[in-house]
Amino acid sequence: MLPRIADSLSFLYLESVRIVQDDTGICARVDTSRGVERVYLPTAALACALLGPGTSITQPAMATFARHGTSLVCVGAGGVRSYAGILPAGLTTVWLERQARAWADDTTRTQVATRMYTHRFGDSPAGATIAQLRGMEGQRVKAMYKILAQKHGIKRFRRNYDPAAWETQDPVNLALSAANSCMYGIVHAAVLALGCSPALGFVHSGTQMAFVYDIADLFKMQLTVPLAFSLHASTDPERDARRKLREDFRLLKLMPQIITSIQQVIDPENANAGGNSERASSITHLWDPALGALPAGVNYGHDLDDEPPDPELPWQP
């Protein structure tokens, strides 16, 4: 049984280290002028390890992360951009199946998207279309930027994300981009930990990270946006944003909120029915449209004994 994801710490960002398994546990090694330094990692307590540039990891170390239910997410420098995620193979598919059912039908997909907007802003007008909700979102985000700019004495703020001109951006934009990327990493870990698909988004689409962006948006106004504006005078806003975000995750106990929010927007009626404490599954079922889940590893050939042979199936006796 894997540890409860809600009981895990948030994330650990690593850069320019070699992660190995030794007789004691998993450690991050780095060569310095003082020799090889080692830092042992609390793998059983980590929800996600963000692997930045210059990081390498051995197969035994990856296997230990998988046994402890820790997701590995490959990210860019400073946690900016999330490229890929690696998850344990023994996860249950309960919430993946619920997500896929909700995503595949336009009506239920619209209902999930509406719940997401309601989660973010506290209300959604009855009968509002997705286009209307998008418009309301834009207005409210713009209003939030204006309020925070006035609060911190910033004369003018315009959201800008340009990787090609990264160093020319103001501290608020740098902090917000860095904090959002770390948020994507930890949400990616939470999505994988539940066994959901990061690609099946309800508001976003067209990318393998669509659902991650959906869920991360639920928390930006609460966490990353105010944090970024508070760092408007920082000399190193990216580093400060990552450090402060880790503290906020711990103080706010945000991981349980992320897990609960994923469940509530997908299937509110079953939000507390499994998928959190029961993350692992060693049983594979067979699907049947009439009978539901059937045990695997059983020979069902006797089910055909009482039926006449079908001439279209030449392999039958």
Side-chain angles (χ1 to χ4, degrees):
M1 185 67 66
L2 298 175
R4 283 171 50 91
I5 183 67
D7 292 338
S8 300
L9 302 176
S10 56
F11 63 88
L12 178 66
Y13 173 77
L14 302 106
E15 183 175 298
S16 301
V17 297
R18 178 169 174 77
I19 304 173
V20 300
Q21 171 80 55
D22 63 14
D23 294 337
T24 304
I26 291 183
C27 64
R29 302 195 316 188
V30 60
D31 294 326
T32 69
S33 58
R34 298 183 296 275
V36 178
E37 295 186 1
R38 295 177 175 83
V39 176
Y40 283 90
L41 309 181
T43 54
L46 283 176
C48 171
L50 305 177
L51 308 182
T55 300
S56 63
I57 184 170
T58 63
Q59 190 276 344
M62 291 181 65
T64 299
F65 274 118
R67 284 195 299 271
H68 290 159
T70 303
S71 299
L72 301 177
V73 181
C74 301
V75 299
V80 177
R81 295 187 180 180
S82 182
Y83 299 111
I86 305 169
L87 70 161
L91 290 177
T92 176
T93 61
V94 169
W95 282 98
L96 172 60
E97 293 171 8
R98 291 172 181 169
Q99 177 192 15
R101 291 192 192 100
W103 176 86
D105 181 83
D106 285 348
T107 299
T108 55
R109 182 173 181 175
T110 300
Q111 292 172 351
V112 173
T114 300
R115 284 196 289 269
M116 288 180 173
Y117 284 115
T118 302
H119 186 288
R120 294 178 65 182
F121 302 113
D123 64 331
S124 292
T129 65
I130 294 297
Q132 290 171 331
L133 291 172
R134 280 198 304 268
M136 292 174 57
E137 174 197 24
Q139 293 175 348
R140 293 182 180 186
V141 170
K142 186 177 181 179
M144 174 66 87
Y145 286 162
K146 184 176 181 180
I147 291 171
L148 289 172
Q150 292 175 345
K151 175 182 177 181
H152 293 282
I154 301 172
K155 293 183 179 180
R156 184 178 181 184
F157 173 76
R158 181 183 178 88
R159 177 65 176 129
N160 180 41
Y161 174 72
D162 185 2
W166 186 256
E167 299 299 331
T168 64
Q169 297 178 66
D170 60 82
V172 175
N173 272 297
L174 287 172
L176 186 54
S177 296
N180 283 345
S181 294
C182 288
M183 174 70 78
Y184 297 148
I186 191 61
V187 170
H188 196 172
V191 169
L192 296 179
L194 278 178
C196 293
S197 168
L200 299 183
F202 295 85
V203 175
H204 296 84
S205 65
T207 169
Q208 291 293 322
M209 295 286 287
F211 189 55
V212 173
Y213 299 148
D214 281 356
I215 300 302
D217 278 354
L218 304 183
F219 298 94
K220 287 181 180 178
M221 292 297 112
Q222 171 189 356
L223 196 59
T224 62
V225 172
L227 170 62
F229 277 88
S230 72
L231 297 174
H232 64 93
S234 172
T235 57
D236 193 342
E238 298 167 83
R239 182 196 62 191
D240 292 342
R242 291 195 300 271
R243 185 182 69 247
K244 187 65 169 62
L245 188 63
R246 280 196 298 269
E247 296 174 359
D248 289 344
F249 264 99
R250 178 178 57 84
L251 294 174
L252 298 175
K253 297 182 178 179
L254 205 63
M255 181 58 79
Q257 296 182 46
I258 294 174
I259 296 296
T260 300
S261 295
I262 293 173
Q263 295 173 328
Q264 287 179 340
V265 297
I266 291 177
D267 186 358
E269 294 183 0
N270 294 292
N272 298 316
N276 190 359
S277 58
E278 299 177 3
R279 294 178 55 214
S281 176
S282 59
I283 301 175
T284 299
H285 299 288
L286 302 178
W287 176 76
D288 185 283
L291 302 177
L294 298 175
V298 176
N299 189 330
Y300 290 95
H302 66 275
D303 291 349
L304 301 177
D305 291 345
D306 298 331
E307 297 183 8
D310 187 338
E312 298 298 324
L313 300 177
W315 47 267
Q316 290 190 113

